[in-house]
Amino acid sequence: MSDVMRPIPFAQVMDWILTEHDTQASIFGVRKAYVHEGGAEPIFAEKIETPFGPAAGPNTQLAQNIVASYVAGSRFFELKTVQIMDGEELSACVNKPCIVAEDECYNCEWSTELTVPDAFAEYVKAWWACKLIAREYGLGDPDGFVFNMSVGYSLEGIQSPKVDAYIEGMKDASGSDVWAECRDWALANLDRFDNVDADFVNSVSPQVSNSVTESTLHGCPPDEIERIATYLITEKGVNTYIKCNPTLLGYDFARERLNELGFDYIVFDDTHFREDLQWADAVPMFERLIKLCAEKGLAFGVKLTNTFPVDVTRGELPSEEMYMSGRSLFPLTIELARRIAQQFDGRLRISYSGGADARNIRALYAAGIWPITMATNVLKPGGYERFFQIAGLLAGEKRAEVVDVDAVTELAARVASGKDYQKPIKPAKPHKIDAELPLMSCFTAPCRTGCPISQDIPAYLSRVDEGKFAEALRIIVEKNALPHITGNLCPHPCGAKCERAFYEPEGARIRDHKLDAARGGFDEVLRELKATPVAPVPGAAGKSVAVIGGGPAGLATAFFLTRAGAEVTIFERTSALGGVARHIIPEFRISHDDIDRDVELCLAFGAKAVLDREVTSVQALLDEGFTDVVVATGAWAPGKVGLKAGEEIDVLEFLETAKAGEPMALGTDVVIVGAGNTAMDAARVAKRAVGVQNVRIVYRRTKKEMPADEEELQLALEEGVELCELLAPLGVTDDVLACEVMRLGEPDESGRRRPEGTGETVKVPATAVICAVGEQIERGLYEGAGVELDRRGRPAGTATGVDHVWAAGDCRRGPATFVEAIADAQAVARAMVGATFEAFEEKNVRADKLDAIMARKGDVCVDVAADRTSRCLGCATVCEVCCDVCPNRANVAIKVPGLAQQQVVHVDGMCNECGNCAVFCPWSGRPYKDKLTLFWSAEDMDASENRGFLPLSDGRVRVRLAGGEGTYDVRDAACGLPEDVRLTICAVCDDYAYLLAK
């Protein structure tokens, strides 16, 4: 019912586990079951086979969450915090959605949303379930895992009857109703097990937990923290950790560290730093508690760290304050670990939870920091199966007996220089598809939607991974006439949509693998193309097309039209084909050999090229007998800075001169005005010029607003180019460029904040000023042909509005990308002759590779440089990302007889609307709202607006869809339901009955 979770009875939990395991080879959607072999480490007079698990949070709130974690390899479970405020009272204080973990994670929830008694019952059910499946499936020693309580937030609350009953019940659950429920079910269902007998059931220890992590709210006084710990140690007799806040570091360090790593947009003041526990109070307190625990024979340690409170400033969550975790927290938490390790010379035990993941967990463990818990890591795609990889990484690893101060110091020092914790300079581009999430059959490859030509990316990536370069290139050239140019120079907008980028920033390295295919398969594919007779499409008959311009747009247009059977002649005003790629882009970015190969490819079907001829009239070509003319002349007219004094050099003229190897007198200090990719090229070329000592980019906004691609900007900065932000050039006098200092105002139509003058001026050394501020379209050909243009000189589209006159590339759009030029070429060929580009689309789905695709889920590449595979997740074949990232397992993938794709069904009763699935779904939708929903009761269905269904006791099904609601006999194919919906409901009832309410 909306965001209310319904705890599942133990009988249903176990039926779900056993049936899903037998029929689907998974448990709560986890396919990678970790089988522990080897010993275990002692902790709290118990033992754990692996030193990690889920942190107190969404992944330890319900029994199924804990079971899923166990199956994937976790053996230490920090249970979600309980406190005196619980159930409906607490839920009313938690705004939803409450989690966003796209990069660093933020949340606005804290303790369990269940009542304390219900939370206790969930943990006992999980305890029993893990014991039973450990024995039944041989996953490890049934006594090889530990549950760790988390309680808060005040001594009064912890001493309250319900929290006290919780603690006592966890210490000995044998007298509880839920214990009896679990034990009695196990004894009554021994026939469902092969390796569980009555002796084992009766041997299960009722001591669910003998340890606790004390959690307090920000601002809790130090004496209150110590009173709570003392009470837990002396009165409750439990091993005790105190969860510390990163505010112990002090405001100045936290602000400076986040700023230097690029997280300067995260807003917080010094309030919590002043009000939280101070270092001067913490150190003696910890000393006293160490001594007290030693006297009582108990373990004491600190848990590092709590989440970090920051302000909501960009609408991240529906609250005023939120709590940060993940990779932006790691640099703070590891520094606090260093300080504590140094202060106590490694004597104080440290448990860790602050951005741990596959990239750093071995170093943490080796340094003697354990157990390690995670939340953000497993909220990302791959979900619980990320634990499986971590179990493998830690298998057989050795650790220091006490915390190794030197090792922690080294790990903390690596943060500042490493890229794992560095925020990209520019904000991430939206990863969502601009389309509604379908109710059914939603698996798609979002990378293809990000590509202007809808390249069949999964299809060719899988062939490259198999070493089938020629096959991959055949797929590529169906839609892309310039595989080498785009393989080197494409800004790869596909990468912004790539789901793999949630694992590694590089994603599937789509562009790199395109280039691998182009170079590896070129000779074979070119021979085939030249040897294969053209099969003309009907619309190409009688077509003789003149293409004005031999750059990327003109070449691609010639390729597609000649492949379709038209005759094409390219007219190029220079002595070589290739346009901007040939004459402007520096050779350190693309070689002439790669350009030559694409030119040869584009002429493979017989296109002719006339060089050194400048066309000045479209009509003249039509008069020569051409049926159609395509204008593909680029955008070569110079933009202007508009300096009030001094000269400016056109960037295209500069780059063309430099590439031709002609001498240039630039002086010592070069200023580039502009901030696009062309400006970055100019800056890097100038940096290499003889006599140049300094190259500076002057830009009126900040680097975050720059239109240049992140990697191009990074390369320029790495080569020593200086960036002068918030400066608008005025004029040059005596080798000095005067600039007005700007500030950012409200966003303009581009969405970027508008620069506003301050009246203040500064001077920048400038022996040469290069203008890179938007090349213009040359209008002469259009105007002579009667084509109407907008204020920027652009025609209406690839069809210009004048019969038989077409446009493609920069001369249609203004300065754009190579792949957009290819998209225009496709559009011209499609409209002019009826060409098609869909020959290989079905190859994006690789049902034969399903197992290999599923094996990649949850597996983070820890050494990207050494891995030459794409690591593509095959989203067109199987997505299920909403299933992976749901902590509560409320999104379930269903195999439906009669449908090609698995269908995602949302289980209403297991969802608290945290919103995590909506963050990572590639569509512009919310799976928890938009997918077909299974309800457990009429009450829940009535309280929801979701489209979904409720099986009724008489065998019929109540179904609500967009068009209305009714009761249906879903066994009747003519019942009136959409067939995919009907078949999915039948599959749930027949093959996934464990999902239904019991």
Side-chain angles (χ1 to χ4, degrees):
M1 180 184 73
S2 187
D3 65 343
V4 178
M5 299 174 292
R6 306 293 191 192
I8 305 172
F10 186 68
Q12 185 177 358
V13 170
M14 289 308 303
D15 180 59
W16 188 320
I17 290 170
L18 297 173
T19 307
E20 183 183 342
H21 180 271
D22 291 347
T23 60
Q24 311 299 328
S26 60
I27 295 175
F28 290 120
V30 177
R31 298 171 178 85
K32 296 179 179 179
Y34 178 73
V35 177
H36 181 74
E37 296 176 353
E41 297 198 71
I43 185 171
F44 308 145
E46 300 178 88
K47 58 186 177 181
I48 52 176
E49 295 173 323
T50 63
F52 70 88
N59 300 101
T60 55
Q61 185 160 225
L62 297 173
Q64 63 265 26
N65 309 16
I66 297 169
V67 171
S69 298
Y70 178 82
V71 171
S74 298
R75 296 297 186 265
F76 184 85
F77 304 85
E78 186 187 11
L79 305 174
K80 190 155 190 182
T81 307
V82 302
Q83 59 146 322
I84 190 169
M85 182 191 293
D86 62 354
E88 292 183 5
E89 181 185 7
L90 183 130
S91 294
C93 300
V94 178
N95 296 323
K96 303 293 178 69
C98 57
I99 298 173
V100 56
E102 192 168 357
D103 185 359
E104 69 271 18
C105 182
Y106 303 104
N107 73 84
C108 58
E109 47 86 48
W110 53 99
S111 56
T112 180
E113 295 173 45
L114 302 174
T115 65
V116 172
D118 281 348
F120 169 74
E122 288 300 292
Y123 303 151
V124 172
K125 288 185 287 185
W127 178 258
W128 269 98
C130 291
K131 296 281 187 182
L132 292 171
I133 63 175
R135 172 59 64 90
E136 178 65 11
Y137 300 132
L139 300 181
D141 185 342
D143 294 327
F145 62 90
V146 163
F147 280 12
N148 173 245
M149 292 180 277
S150 176
V151 299
Y153 292 109
S154 66
L155 181 58
E156 181 182 5
I158 290 169
Q159 290 177 329
S160 68
K162 66 180 173 184
V163 178
D164 184 70
Y166 166 79
I167 296 171
E168 292 300 321
M170 294 293 282
K171 288 164 58 181
D172 182 358
S174 60
S176 65
D177 291 342
V178 68
W179 183 268
E181 174 193 350
C182 297
R183 181 198 59 217
D184 294 349
W185 181 92
L187 291 171
N189 287 272
L190 293 174
D191 59 333
R192 298 193 65 176
F193 296 93
D194 292 326
N195 300 308
V196 173
D197 57 20
D199 288 342
F200 174 77
V201 172
N202 288 321
S203 73
V204 172
S205 170
Q207 181 181 278
V208 179
S209 179
N210 70 349
S211 65
V212 67
T213 296
E214 175 193 341
S215 184
T216 55
L217 295 175
H218 290 280
C220 185
D223 55 348
E224 174 77 349
I225 295 172
E226 187 167 7
R227 280 196 298 268
I228 294 171
T230 301
Y231 171 76
L232 293 170
I233 294 163
T234 60
E235 300 299 321
K236 298 289 105 176
V238 290
N239 302 281
T240 300
Y241 281 15
I242 291 179
K243 184 176 288 185
C244 298
N245 294 320
T247 48
L248 268 174
L249 293 166
Y251 174 82
D252 290 341
F253 176 85
R255 181 71 276 169
E256 181 179 341
R257 174 53 59 94
L258 291 177
N259 286 355
E260 69 187 15
L261 293 174
F263 296 98
D264 51 343
Y265 57 89
I266 296 176
V267 177
F268 55 91
D269 61 22
D270 65 352
T271 301
H272 292 301
F273 293 87
R274 289 185 286 102
E275 296 178 350
D276 284 2
L277 178 66
Q278 302 296 302
W279 182 260
D281 297 317
V283 171
M285 178 204 304
F286 295 158
E287 292 283 11
R288 290 190 294 269
L289 292 172
I290 291 171
K291 181 179 178 182
L292 178 61
C293 277
E295 293 170 356
K296 298 294 183 181
L298 297 170
F300 175 75
V302 290
K303 182 65 177 283
L304 305 182
T305 61
N306 206 344
T307 51
F308 183 50
V310 300
D311 296 342
V312 175
T313 59
R314 295 168 292 140
E316 298 94 337
L317 290 171
S319 60
E320 294 182 358
E321 187 175 65
M322 57 189 179
Y323 303 97
M324 182 192 79
S325 58
R327 77 184 186 108
S328 55
L329 183 58
F330 184 85
L332 303 182
T333 303
I334 195 62
E335 171 60 20
L336 185 55
R338 183 197 68 79
R339 294 184 187 185
I340 287 177
Q342 188 174 60
Q343 176 69 41
F344 291 89
D345 197 25
R347 294 179 297 109
L348 179 56
R349 187 163 193 168
I350 299 174
S351 176
Y352 194 92
S353 181
D357 61 19
R359 297 177 181 89
N360 55 40
I361 197 163
R362 281 188 290 192
L364 287 167
Y365 180 66
I369 294 177
W370 71 290
I372 302 163
T373 60
M374 288 156 274
T376 300
N377 184 43
V378 290
L379 288 170
K380 294 180 180 291
Y384 289 103
E385 290 190 349
R386 289 186 176 223
F387 282 142
F388 181 85
Q389 178 190 20
I390 287 172
L393 289 172
L394 291 179
E397 291 290 306
K398 305 297 183 182
R399 65 167 175 82
E401 287 300 314
V402 297
V403 179
D404 185 332
V405 179
D406 291 339
V408 179
T409 300
E410 181 184 351
L411 183 54
R414 290 208 304 262
V415 167
S417 59
K419 292 185 177 180
D420 287 340
Y421 310 101
Q422 186 77 48
K423 188 75 173 181
I425 295 173
K426 293 165 60 64
K429 297 176 182 177
H431 77 272
K432 294 278 190 181
I433 299 169
D434 187 18
E436 292 184 0
L437 171 61
L439 179 69
M440 313 296 294
S441 299
C442 57
F443 296 172
T444 190
C447 54
R448 295 186 64 234
T449 68
C451 176
I453 58 174
S454 299
Q455 278 263 255
D456 298 312
I457 294 168
Y460 77 70
L461 287 182
S462 65
R463 273 71 181 183
V464 172
D465 285 344
E466 295 165 2
K468 299 176 180 177
F469 298 115
E471 185 176 349
L473 186 56
R474 291 185 198 101
I475 294 168
I476 290 167
V477 299
E478 170 69 10
K479 295 183 176 182
N480 185 346
L482 306 169
H484 295 86
I485 290 175
T486 54
N488 281 282
L489 302 174
C490 185
H492 50 104
C494 52
K497 308 293 184 185
C498 179
E499 287 286 320
R500 186 76 215 186
F502 290 120
Y503 288 77
E504 306 92 22
E506 300 84 354
R509 296 186 298 191
I510 297 167
R511 184 180 67 189
D512 292 349
H513 291 287
K514 180 191 284 104
L515 188 59
D516 289 343
R519 290 174 173 170
F522 179 74
D523 292 339
E524 181 178 340
V525 170
L526 185 66
R527 283 195 303 270
E528 290 176 359
L529 296 181
K530 288 183 174 181
T532 304
V534 171
V537 300
K543 288 290 186 182
S544 177
V545 183
V547 175
I548 307 174
L555 288 167
T557 301
F559 177 80
F560 294 135
L561 286 173
T562 52
R563 187 175 68 183
E567 294 181 0
V568 175
T569 301
I570 302 170
F571 294 90
E572 167 58 37
R573 63 185 171 186
T574 73
S575 60
L577 298 174
V580 167
R582 172 80 67 189
H583 302 294
I584 300 298
I585 304 292
E587 195 160 3
F588 56 74
R589 291 193 61 201
I590 185 169
S591 70
H592 281 295
D593 288 343
D594 277 342
I595 299 169
D596 289 342
R597 292 186 186 100
D598 278 355
V599 169
E600 191 174 5
L601 178 69
C602 289
L603 302 180
F605 294 109
K608 300 173 184 177
V610 177
L611 303 179
D612 295 313
R613 177 177 169 184
E614 182 164 5
V615 175
T616 58
S617 168
V618 170
Q619 188 59 48
L621 292 175
L622 294 172
D623 291 344
E624 289 181 26
F626 291 103
T627 59
D628 297 85
V629 176
V630 182
V631 181
T633 52
W636 290 80
K640 291 289 183 182
V641 174
L643 295 178
K644 297 177 181 178
E647 296 182 358
E648 54 190 86
I649 302 169
D650 172 51
V651 69
L652 296 185
E653 177 186 342
F654 165 71
L655 289 171
E656 188 171 16
T657 301
K659 192 162 188 180
E662 298 175 11
M664 296 175 291
L666 299 174
T668 57
D669 292 270
V670 177
V671 171
I672 313 293
V673 180
N677 286 343
T678 304
M680 300 305 117
D681 282 345
R684 296 175 68 195
V685 169
K687 193 70 179 174
R688 290 163 168 79
V690 175
V692 173
Q693 297 176 9
N694 304 294
V695 177
R696 299 177 177 91
I697 294 173
V698 166
Y699 183 49
R700 58 184 185 155
R701 292 184 171 95
T702 72
K703 58 188 176 183
K704 291 185 177 180
E705 288 80 34
M706 280 185 161
D709 295 324
E710 171 87 16
E711 61 191 306
E712 303 303 327
L713 174 57
Q714 284 282 16
L715 286 169
L717 295 176
E718 288 170 8
E719 292 181 9
V721 174
E722 299 176 45
L723 179 59
C724 302
E725 301 173 276
L726 294 172
L727 294 182
L730 298 174
V732 179
T733 304
D734 297 331
D735 293 340
V736 172
L737 175 65
C739 298
E740 182 178 10
V741 177
M742 310 298 281
R743 60 170 172 257
L744 294 180
E746 295 301 312
D748 61 15
E749 62 276 5
S750 72
R752 297 178 297 170
R753 293 173 64 191
R754 188 187 306 276
E756 300 172 345
T758 65
E760 178 187 354
T761 60
V762 297
K763 295 180 179 181
V764 179
T767 54
V769 176
I770 297 172
C771 170
V773 290
E775 300 77 30
Q776 305 296 311
I777 298 170
E778 296 169 329
R779 302 179 180 223
L781 284 170
Y782 290 136
E783 291 173 346
V787 174
E788 291 188 13
L789 304 174
D790 67 11
R791 63 181 180 84
R792 293 173 56 189
R794 299 175 301 183
T798 52
T800 64
V802 174
D803 289 345
H804 306 293
V805 180
W806 309 80
D810 289 2
C811 65
R812 180 187 90 74
R813 300 170 180 263
T817 64
F818 294 116
V819 71
E820 288 171 317
I822 298 169
D824 284 351
Q826 281 191 9
V828 169
R830 190 180 290 113
M832 185 190 298
V833 302
T836 59
F837 305 91
E838 290 77 43
F840 296 107
E841 288 193 352
E842 291 185 358
K843 292 185 178 293
N844 288 303
V845 177
R846 294 295 302 268
D848 59 319
K849 297 293 181 181
L850 181 60
D851 289 344
I853 291 169
M854 299 306 293
R856 290 176 173 176
K857 282 181 173 281
D859 196 0
V860 175
C861 184
V862 296
D863 188 358
V864 173
D867 187 354
R868 292 303 306 161
T869 67
S870 71
R871 307 181 303 278
C872 174
L873 294 168
C875 302
T877 303
V878 56
C879 177
E880 298 182 11
V881 68
C882 62
C883 306
D884 299 341
V885 303
C886 176
N888 296 350
R889 322 314 288 150
N891 298 319
V892 182
I894 303 295
K895 297 174 184 175
V896 181
L899 298 183
Q901 286 189 5
Q902 296 192 132
Q903 301 298 317
V904 173
V905 171
H906 177 67
V907 183
D908 172 79
M910 295 163 65
C911 179
N912 67 335
E913 296 191 355
C914 73
N916 198 46
C917 60
V919 172
F920 296 106
C921 175
W923 299 89
S924 295
R926 301 170 297 170
Y928 69 95
K929 290 289 191 183
D930 300 332
K931 296 305 293 183
L932 188 69
T933 299
L934 166 63
F935 294 99
W936 285 344
S937 70
E939 176 190 2
D940 287 351
M941 190 168 184
D942 291 342
S944 172
E945 297 179 353
N946 285 19
R947 292 166 291 176
F949 64 100
L950 171 67
L952 303 175
S953 58
D954 63 2
R956 295 182 300 162
V957 180
R958 177 183 168 189
V959 181
R960 179 170 62 229
L961 298 175
E965 183 178 313
T967 301
Y968 299 87
D969 176 6
V970 295
R971 306 299 174 183
D972 179 3
C975 68
L977 288 174
E979 186 65 358
D980 52 0
V981 172
R982 186 187 72 83
L983 289 174
T984 300
I985 295 172
C986 287
V988 170
C989 294
D990 294 343
D991 303 326
Y992 297 83
Y994 52 83
L995 299 178
L996 307 178
K998 296 293 189 287

